[in-house]
Amino acid sequence: MAAPLDLDQLATFVAIADTGSFTRAAEEVHRTQSAVSMQMRRLEERVGKPLFEKDGRTNRLTEEGEKLLPYARQMLRLNRETLAAFDDECLEGHIRIGMPDDYAERFLPEIMARFSRSNPRVELSVLCEPTANLVQHVRQGNLDLALVTDEDASDIVRREPLLWVGSANHSTHERPVLPMAFGRPTCSWRRAACETLSRTNREYRILFTSFSATVISAAVLSGVAVSVLPECALRPGMRVLGENEGLPALPECRIGMMRGRTSQLEVADALARHIIESLDNISVPMAVNEAEGFDFASLPHRARRSKRLRPSQILPGW
């Protein structure tokens, strides 16, 4: 029977992958650089593949290293969760998190599942409101953590394309005056879309305004309007539009994390870590594979290196 992998070696491996440096990783895992190098030689011997290659002054993962990384993260996470399940002094308390509802629908199941398994004694309160509202809540002390779009975020935790979307069953984008469904005027996606349409002299009319992702998606799926959404918010039955439809590329969507003032710093730190790990673990929607079909429910479990959707591709199944 093959010997199991060493968790200490995997923790060092992940630290190197995250920092891009043996030296900085050694500081994080509190070992000497020579000890870190020895650990990685033993890990490479154990898996029988080279895991790193030099890229200037940094250490870049090889293809085999990229393959190992999600497994290493998962093993370390399960180790933490297992220990927490038997820890009589595990974290307790109440933590408040906010995020827009389109992020909540995509990201919250993974975040809640991971955090609750590791911290069963922590009560989690969730508030779903637009970014502008969440920023105010954080500043007023009403939230401990918030996932927001771009503005005022201290840490960017995920980047995704911002996409034009229409219905797969309608040709709404071909109308002379483009009907649009947007969030409220403070929405950064709305501003980016309007500026792009004005710059390209594309006529448009705003038919629906709402901060509810459900309302915007309903307008798109019913074929009465086109909208802009980040990749994480795409739903079955939507079609990604692009330059072939006369709609130029939009700026990327940057998802950030804001932290508020809290007396439960340890709990907030734990939740922040789980959020970062969860977002890193969640894949992007994949284009349909005619040979295999498309299982939308399996999206959170897909490989991180899934192909990005191209314009005119469709998420079937609505």
Side-chain angles (χ1 to χ4, degrees), residues 96-117:
R96 303 161 302 171
I97 179 176
M99 64 184 72
D101 59 352
D102 35 20
Y103 293 168
E105 183 174 349
R106 183 74 177 94
F107 300 140
L108 198 54
E110 173 83 4
I111 292 170
M112 292 177 69
R114 291 168 62 97
F115 185 73
S116 296
R117 284 196 300 267

Side-chain angles (χ1 to χ4, degrees), residues 18-271:
D18 289 342
T19 63
S21 164
F22 275 55
T23 302
R24 290 196 294 273
E27 295 173 357
E28 288 205 5
V29 299
H30 308 292
R31 294 180 181 271
T32 64
Q33 187 171 343
S34 60
V36 165
S37 298
M38 177 62 74
Q39 279 189 307
M40 292 306 95
R41 282 197 295 272
R42 289 176 177 169
L43 183 58
E44 288 179 328
E45 290 171 0
R46 180 68 193 84
V47 299
K49 303 287 184 181
L51 301 175
F52 298 97
E53 57 188 6
K54 294 294 290 184
D55 183 12
R57 295 185 177 181
T58 63
N59 291 277
R60 188 165 58 89
L61 293 179
T62 63
E63 185 175 344
E64 298 299 331
E66 291 280 4
K67 182 178 179 181
L68 175 61
L69 185 58
Y71 291 108
R73 291 192 194 279
Q74 186 176 14
M75 291 176 70
L76 293 170
R77 173 179 59 81
L78 287 173
N79 180 65
R80 288 195 299 270
E81 291 178 359
T82 302
L83 294 174
F86 293 91
D87 184 3
D88 293 332
E89 297 181 356
C90 64
L91 294 177
E92 296 186 44
H94 175 217
I95 194 78
R96 303 161 302 171
I97 179 176
M99 64 184 72
D101 59 352
D102 35 20
Y103 293 168
E105 183 174 349
R106 183 74 177 94
F107 300 140
L108 198 54
E110 173 83 4
I111 292 170
M112 292 177 69
R114 291 168 62 97
F115 185 73
S116 296
R117 284 196 300 267
S118 296
N119 304 279
R121 298 182 185 179
V122 175
E123 178 186 350
L124 188 65
S125 294
V126 182
L127 176 68
C128 292
E129 291 191 11
T131 285
N133 294 16
L134 296 174
V135 170
Q136 290 303 312
H137 281 306
V138 171
R139 290 174 175 170
Q140 292 168 3
N142 300 326
L143 288 174
D144 303 305
L145 288 169
L147 280 183
V148 298
T149 302
D150 281 335
E151 305 169 24
D152 301 293
S154 55
D155 296 300
I156 300 300
V157 293
R158 188 176 174 98
R159 298 172 186 267
E160 293 194 352
L162 185 60
L163 303 169
W164 301 98
V165 292
S167 167
N169 300 315
H170 303 83
S171 299
T172 315
H173 60 279
E174 295 179 357
R175 297 179 188 174
V177 179
L178 194 64
M180 300 299 304
F182 286 135
R184 293 187 174 184
T186 55
C187 174
S188 60
W189 303 341
R190 172 175 173 154
R191 291 197 300 267
C194 291
E195 289 171 3
T196 300
L197 292 171
S198 298
R199 190 168 57 249
T200 56
N201 297 317
R202 180 70 185 268
E203 288 191 72
Y204 69 95
R205 181 172 65 253
I206 299 175
L207 291 186
F208 297 94
T209 296
S210 175
F211 63 59
S212 168
T214 301
V215 172
I216 299 301
S217 294
V220 171
L221 292 166
S222 63
V224 298
V226 169
S227 190
V228 290
L229 293 173
E231 202 164 39
C232 65
L234 297 180
R235 297 189 180 188
M238 289 183 177
R239 176 183 179 185
V240 178
L241 307 171
E243 293 186 359
N244 289 340
E245 292 80 23
L247 296 168
L250 292 161
E252 70 176 4
C253 169
R254 300 187 305 163
I255 301 172
M257 181 161 53
M258 289 186 70
R259 301 192 58 155
R261 298 181 300 274
T262 176
S263 60
Q264 301 199 62
L265 187 59
E266 192 175 0
V267 179
D269 287 342
L271 179 56

Side-chain angles (χ1 to χ4, degrees), residues 277-292:
E277 291 178 354
S278 295
L279 297 193
D280 188 58
N281 189 51
I282 293 175
S283 67
V284 300
M286 290 176 62
V288 64
N289 183 323
E290 293 181 358
E292 299 178 3

